[in-house]
Amino acid sequence: TCDTGDQQTTAAVQLKEPAATIVERLKDVAAYEGEDAVFECRLSRETAQDAQWFLGDVPLQSNEMNEIRVQGTRHSLVLRKVTLEDCGSITFKVGQHSSAA
């Protein structure tokens, strides 16, 4: 705000979060049935943007079969006790960026 006594003007500062990029992409994982499969990727920065994991076209959430972790810029997915039905493409998406394995 600028106030000269008889006049006043106000402006606002708005910040946009820079988009995070994927700097360490997903790698293919081979596992025996009943084992855990772990997928990891790393972003260029910590972000508040929504990151999402997919098995095929199905979005995944943390539950008794899937563990989703975020530690700073590292994002990981653990598929617990995989079965043949878990075979397929795993995709990680953040903003306009994605990686698949």
Side-chain angles (χ1 to χ4, degrees), residues 11-97:
V13 175
Q14 295 180 350
L15 297 177
K16 293 183 180 180
E17 180 182 18
T21 59
I22 299 171
V23 295
E24 189 177 308
R25 303 185 70 73
L26 294 177
K27 294 180 176 83
D28 292 342
V29 172
Y32 288 103
E33 193 168 14
E35 292 182 338
D36 292 350
V38 180
F39 297 87
E40 292 185 334
C41 65
R42 191 169 53 87
L43 302 180
S44 59
R45 61 186 305 281
E46 292 185 32
T47 179
Q49 291 177 315
D50 290 333
Q52 182 67 58
W53 290 92
F54 295 86
L55 175 56
D57 294 332
V58 179
L60 299 175
Q61 297 179 5
S62 277
N63 56 36
E64 65 278 352
M65 297 307 296
N66 310 311
E67 181 181 349
I68 295 172
R69 287 183 253 171
V70 178
Q71 295 172 318
T73 60
R74 185 160 303 280
H75 290 250
S76 60
L77 167 68
V78 179
L79 298 179
R80 300 211 181 276
K81 298 179 182 174
V82 293
T83 66
L84 292 175
E85 289 78 31
D86 295 318
C87 288
S89 180
I90 294 290
T91 305
F92 176 79
K93 294 182 182 180
V94 60
Q96 300 295 317
H97 304 281

